[in-house]
Amino acid sequence: GWPLTSIAKTKAFMEKYAHYFLEVSLQDHSFLTFRPSLVAAACITASRICLHISPSLTTHLHLLTGYTWEHLTACVELMLIAHDNDVKEANKTKGQQSTLQQQTTVQQQHQHQSSPQLLFQQGQYQHFTQNSQLVQFHSPLQPQASVQAHRSHLQGRRAAIVSG
């Protein structure tokens, strides 16, 4: 973990982790053996553990819920195991995507060594919003006349298929 410097950030991360652990508890049938109030308290406790907030079970939470650490241990452990598995899966997937991107880039470089090219890697352009407009790119490698000829050929074939 990293130190959380502001209360606002801490609250935001706590909320995200609590929602995450609630989702985990809804997707796994093993959480059905616990009372909903215990699962809720375990979500808060597991969130505090992931964020390295000490103590993980505060006196206030204990008084509010009536649950002790002994009550919450089994549920919190299941949540943390699910979290660890998700983190491992995400890292594995991220590693595979990175390796695939590197292999694709190397293959493209070997195939088109003499022609100029632009390489775009997935995930580098996340700063665009949904409202950003995409500009159509026309390659300087394809003369406009050949594009027009190709378009005319396709339109002729389309007319023949539709009429025939």
Side-chain angles (χ1 to χ4, degrees), residues 140-161:
L141 300 176
Q142 282 187 323
Q144 197 66 9
S146 68
V147 172
Q148 190 62 27
H150 182 68
R151 195 174 285 149
S152 298
H153 172 72
L154 290 176
Q155 287 176 347
R157 290 189 53 113
R158 182 173 152 223
I161 291 171

Side-chain angles (χ1 to χ4, degrees), residues 33-45 56-76:
T33 60
F34 303 107
R35 291 182 173 180
S37 59
L38 188 136
V39 171
C43 287
I44 300 298
T45 305
S56 52
L57 180 62
T58 63
T59 305
H60 181 69
L61 187 60
H62 167 69
L63 293 173
L64 188 64
T65 63
Y67 293 117
T68 64
W69 182 249
E70 289 75 30
H71 294 116
L72 298 173
T73 303
C75 189
V76 168

Side-chain angles (χ1 to χ4, degrees), residues 5-112:
T5 55
S6 75
I7 292 178
K9 283 185 180 180
T10 303
K11 286 182 180 180
F13 279 108
M14 275 294 297
E15 185 176 341
K16 288 181 182 187
Y17 268 103
H19 284 122
Y20 165 78
F21 286 120
L22 285 170
E23 285 290 325
V24 166
S25 70
L26 290 172
Q27 295 175 10
D28 189 342
H29 71 279
S30 59
F31 288 96
L32 292 174
T33 60
F34 303 107
R35 291 182 173 180
S37 59
L38 188 136
V39 171
C43 287
I44 300 298
T45 305
S47 299
R48 292 177 65 87
I49 290 170
C50 287
L51 293 171
H52 303 283
I53 299 173
S54 183
S56 52
L57 180 62
T58 63
T59 305
H60 181 69
L61 187 60
H62 167 69
L63 293 173
L64 188 64
T65 63
Y67 293 117
T68 64
W69 182 249
E70 289 75 30
H71 294 116
L72 298 173
T73 303
C75 189
V76 168
E77 283 179 353
L78 284 174
M79 289 178 180
L80 294 176
I81 289 169
H83 178 261
D84 286 345
N85 290 338
D86 285 348
V87 168
K88 287 177 187 174
E89 186 64 32
N91 288 338
K92 183 174 134 183
T93 303
K94 184 178 175 183
Q96 288 173 348
Q97 287 176 349
S98 176
T99 302
L100 181 62
Q101 286 176 351
Q102 290 172 356
Q103 289 173 350
T104 303
T105 302
V106 169
Q107 289 172 353
Q108 289 173 349
Q109 287 173 348
H110 289 297
Q111 290 173 355
H112 304 288

